C-alpha cells in the first residue's frame, strides 16, 4: 500500500474510511439509540466514552503495540468477556427500559459516557480493526509527524461524534411520535443487537 503524501488528501480519505465503519450497526449504535431516547446529548457523551478507549489505543499502536492487540489470546479474552458484558447490557436494558425513560436527564450523562466506553471496549472487532486497518492509517499519519497523527486521531473521532450525535438527536426529536408499540419494537431491536453481537463475540472467541 502506497502512502498518501498529501496531508489534506490523507485526512479526506480518513473521513470516508472512518464513516464506513462508524455507520455500521453495532453495540455502540444500539446504546446510542437507547440513551438518545431520553437525552439529546447522549450521542456526544457516548462518543466521549468511545474516545476514552480509542485515543489511548491509537497512541499505543503508534508506539508499536499492534502485535499485542492482534494476538489471538488477547482477542479471545476480549471476545468472551466483552460478549458477556454485551449480553448482560442487552438484558438489563430491556428489563429496565421503562425505568430508563423515567430517569432524569441529569442522571443519564454519566450513564451515557459509561455506555459508550463499555460498548466500545467490549467489542473485539473494534480492536481487530485498529490492529489492521487502523495500523495502516496510523503508519500513513506518522509520515506527517506528531501533528499528522493528532489530526488523524481527531478527524477520526469527529466522525464518531458526528454520527452518534446525529443518531441520538434523531431519536430524541422523533420520540414524541413513538407509540408504546414502536417504543417496545425499538428497544427489542437494540436488545437483539447487543445480545446477538455478544453471543457472536463469545462463540467466535471459543471457535478461534
Amino acid at each position: 500500500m502506497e502512502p498518501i503524501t498529501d496531508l489534506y488528501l490523507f485526512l479526506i480519505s480518513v473521513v470516508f474510511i472512518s464513516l464506513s465503519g462508524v455507520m455500521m450497526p453495532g453495540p455502540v449504535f444500539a446504546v446510542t439509540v437507547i440513551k438518545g431516547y431520553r437525552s439529546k446529548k447522549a450521542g456526544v457523551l457516548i462518543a466521549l466514552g468511545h474516545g476514552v478507549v480509542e485515543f489511548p489505543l491509537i497512541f499505543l499502536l503508534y508506539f508499536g503495540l499492534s502485535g499485542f492487540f492482534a494476538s489471538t489470546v488477547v482477542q479471545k479474552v476480549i471476545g468472551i468477556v466483552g460478549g458477556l458484558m454485551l449480553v448482560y447490557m442487552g438484558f438489563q436494558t430491556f428489563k429496565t427500559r421503562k425505568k430508563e425513560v423515567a430517569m432524569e436527564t441529569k442522571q443519564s450523562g454519566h450513564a451515557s459516557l459509561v455506555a459508550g466506553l463499555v460498548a466500545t471496549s467490549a467489542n473485539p472487532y473494534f480492536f481487530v480493526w485498529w490492529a489492521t486497518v487502523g495500523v495502516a492509517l496510523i503508519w500513513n499519519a506518522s509520515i506527517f509527524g506528531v501533528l499528522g497523527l493528532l489530526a488523524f486521531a481527531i478527524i477520526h473521532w469527529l466522525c464518531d461524534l458526528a454520527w452518534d450525535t446525529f443518531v441520538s438527536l434523531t431519536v430524541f426529536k422523533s420520540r414524541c411520535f413513538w407509540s408504546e408499540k414502536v417504543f417496545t419494537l425499538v428497544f427489542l431491536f437494540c436488545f437483539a443487537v447487543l445480545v446477538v453481537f455478544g453471543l457472536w463475540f463469545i462463540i467466535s472467541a471459543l471457535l478461534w
Side-chain angles (χ1 to χ4, degrees):
M1 176 181 169
E2 289 295 321
I4 300 174
T5 55
D6 184 283
L7 180 59
Y8 296 107
L9 285 177
F10 171 65
L11 294 178
I12 290 170
S13 74
V14 168
V15 171
F16 285 103
I17 294 170
S18 299
L19 286 176
S20 68
V22 168
M23 296 174 70
M24 289 291 288
V28 174
F29 175 80
V31 296
T32 304
V33 172
I34 292 165
K35 300 301 180 184
Y37 185 86
R38 59 187 172 91
S39 173
K40 60 185 178 182
K41 298 178 181 178
V44 175
L45 293 164
I46 287 169
L48 286 172
H50 180 80
V52 168
V53 180
E54 192 165 63
F55 281 112
L57 179 62
I58 290 172
F59 285 94
L60 285 173
L61 292 172
Y62 174 71
F63 287 110
L65 288 180
S66 58
F68 173 77
F69 294 103
S71 165
T72 301
V73 174
V74 172
Q75 290 175 21
K76 278 180 177 288
V77 172
I78 295 173
I80 294 170
V81 176
L84 289 171
M85 289 173 65
L86 290 178
V87 171
Y88 174 78
M89 283 176 66
F91 278 100
Q92 282 297 110
T93 294
F94 193 73
K95 180 181 176 182
T96 62
R97 62 192 183 283
K98 298 294 178 64
K99 190 186 296 184
E100 281 277 322
V101 176
M103 288 173 66
E104 296 178 7
T105 303
K106 183 179 179 181
Q107 294 177 306
S108 71
H110 178 262
S112 294
L113 191 147
V114 171
L117 190 155
V118 172
T120 299
S121 57
N123 185 349
Y125 292 98
F126 165 78
F127 295 96
V128 171
W129 188 91
W130 274 108
T132 52
V133 178
V135 165
L137 291 171
I138 290 169
W139 170 70
N140 204 144
S142 67
I143 293 172
F144 307 103
V146 176
L147 288 179
L149 182 68
L150 286 172
F152 157 69
I154 292 169
I155 292 293
H156 177 81
W157 179 77
L158 286 175
C159 291
D160 289 303
L161 175 65
W163 178 246
D164 293 342
T165 301
F166 171 76
V167 171
S168 65
L169 274 175
T170 301
V171 171
F172 186 80
K173 294 291 186 182
S174 65
R175 66 179 186 166
C176 58
F177 302 108
W178 294 20
S179 64
E180 183 69 21
K181 184 177 180 181
V182 171
F183 171 82
T184 302
L185 286 173
V186 170
F187 271 71
L188 267 174
F189 168 76
C190 294
F191 160 80
V193 169
L194 291 170
V195 172
V196 169
F197 270 93
L199 292 175
W200 179 31
F201 295 161
I202 293 168
I203 293 169
S204 297
L206 293 174
L207 294 178
W208 282 341

